[in-house]
């Protein structure tokens, strides 16, 4: 049995947090491969080491004064080393980093040092082997991750390694230069390592006890999702729910390895299991609710539209020409509605409308802005009758006007369009009817 365990920045923000992490790893001998992030915030006014590194590098490479920030970064690590009572000296590492910063080595290198140094500290603390991610995780010249070469190299390298620390967030290009994933990318590293090892489980330790059914800034103290499928997670993440980096799903998904989101500060909580599929019934009919504001709809009307072959394609082509992607496209016999992100659309609004007129000669084109989309997601909906009915009666009771409805053919989600100003209230109403009422 082997587990890959990734710890986020808040789990490694200081020596006290490091000790919790040490206890977690030592309490289960199968937790053999550790992926650390850089030290995160110690409190809400604090700064993440990654952010300090970016700032420091920008100043140093522009020939401005950077020493003060550099010292703050050094102090963050020294505080951890001292607090853990380690006999580790990072002076020559910092000398090399400073030299490289002044030479303008690149922002990715700069940011990656947060994980690199934390990996050295973690390896020393645990007595595990340190493996530099630059030697095992690869990117192409454009900075795209290379899954195949990485997987081959990583599997070979780890084959005979019992226990290791591999820093998250970065790897290298073929010319040896350092390249990072996007922010939060240590989640991706953990997933890549789990895949290469055929791990039994990828544990992702953070500061919440798993995915919540709904955003806690909208509903107070929401329930935690016990089990969620990758597909459900994609739907919720797309609609704005975030705990895990979006790209972290793909490597483990290929191997059918589950991810367990856990809380470093409450290690006894079981967290959320993310799985390919499951027979386990969700606790409530729905798994989660998420949503986003800031959409607008373009309603096109033309008599006999439904018998005009190519109508939809011609309309969509206009959007394509302006590089605008559409979110949803509900249609009627003589009407077609395109829902787009307001921010993407605004600048091209008049050109798109003119384009639609030229392309399909509609009877009318109308627009409505400031719409929000709410996604109600759940594998349980397929087997349950009346879910849509319950959603709409909850919204009606809350006096919310539904502007659009879209149910995907997977029956995994129902998307509802409401006015931006009704957004929070709509989410609360749906949560209440499915979760509060079912507890
Ligand atoms: N330290 C990086 C960040 O702050 C990567 C990570 O934590 O996953 O984005």
């Amino acid at each position: 049995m082997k587990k890959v365990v990734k710890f986020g920045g808040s789990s490694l923000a200081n020596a006290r947090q490091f000790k919790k992490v040490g206890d977690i790893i030592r309490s289960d001998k199968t937790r053999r491969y550790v992926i650390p992030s850089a030290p995160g915030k110690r409190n809400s006014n604090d700064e993440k080491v990654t952010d300090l590194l970016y700032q420091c590098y920008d100043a140093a490479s522009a020939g401005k004064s950077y020493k003060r920030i550099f010292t703050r970064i050094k102090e963050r690590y020294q505080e951890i080393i001292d607090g853990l009572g380690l006999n580790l000296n990072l002076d020559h590492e910092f000398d090399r980093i400073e030299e490289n910063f002044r030479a303008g080595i690149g922002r990715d290198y700069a940011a990656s040092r947060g994980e690199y140094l934390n990996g050295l500290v973690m390896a020393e603390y645990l007595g595990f082997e340190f493996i530099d991610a630059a030697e095992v995780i690869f990117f192409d010249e454009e900075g795209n991750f290379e899954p195949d070469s990485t997987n081959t190299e990583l599997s070979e390298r780890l084959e005979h390694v019992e226990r290791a620390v591999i820093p998250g967030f970065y790897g290298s290009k073929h010319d040896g230069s350092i390249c990072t994933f996007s922010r939060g990318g240590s989640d991706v590293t953990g997933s890549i390592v789990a895949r290469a090892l055929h791990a039994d489980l990828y544990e992702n330790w953070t500061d919440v006890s798993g995915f919540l059914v709904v955003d806690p800034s909208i509903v107070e103290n929401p329930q935690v999702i016990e089990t969620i499928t990758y597909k459900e997670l994609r739907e919720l993440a797309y609609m704005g729910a975030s705990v895990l980096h979006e790209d972290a799903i793909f490597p483990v998904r290929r191997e059918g390895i589950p991810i367990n989101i856990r809380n470093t500060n409450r290690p006894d909580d079981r967290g959320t299991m993310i799985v390919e599929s499951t027979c386990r019934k969700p606790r409530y009919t729905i798994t989660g609710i998420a949503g986003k504001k800031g959409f607008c709809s373009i309603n096109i009307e033309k008599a006999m539209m439904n018998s005009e072959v190519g109508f939809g394609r011609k309309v969509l082509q206009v959007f394509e020409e302006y590089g605008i992607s559409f979110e949803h496209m509900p249609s009627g016999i003589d009407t077609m509605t395109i829902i787009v992100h307001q921010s993407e659309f605004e600048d091209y609004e008049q050109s798109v409308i003119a384009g639609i007129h030229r392309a399909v000669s509609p009877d009318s084109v109308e627009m409505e802005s400031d719409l929000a989309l709410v996604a109600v997601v759940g594998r349980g909906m397929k087997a349950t009758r009346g879910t849509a009915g319950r959603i709409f009666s909850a919204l009606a009771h809350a006096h919310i006007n539904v502007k659009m409805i879209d149910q995907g053919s997977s029956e995994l989600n129902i998307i509802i369009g409401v006015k931006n100003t009704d957004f929070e209230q709509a989410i609360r109403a749906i949560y209440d009817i499915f979760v509060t009422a079912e507890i």
Side-chain angles (χ1 to χ4, degrees), residues 41 47-56 69 73 183:
K41 293 183 181 188
E47 279 187 275
K48 293 180 174 187
V49 165
T50 310
D51 291 319
L52 294 176
L53 284 162
Y54 279 125
Q55 289 167 31
C56 184
I69 310 180
I73 298 168
R183 294 299 303 264

Side-chain angles (χ1 to χ4, degrees), residues 30 34 132 148 191 233-234 240 311 315 336 338 410 418 425:
T30 65
V34 182
D132 188 351
D148 296 337
S191 181
L233 182 64
R234 289 271 302 147
F311 189 94
V315 170
M336 176 173 168
I338 318 273
S410 61
V418 297
Q425 189 53 29

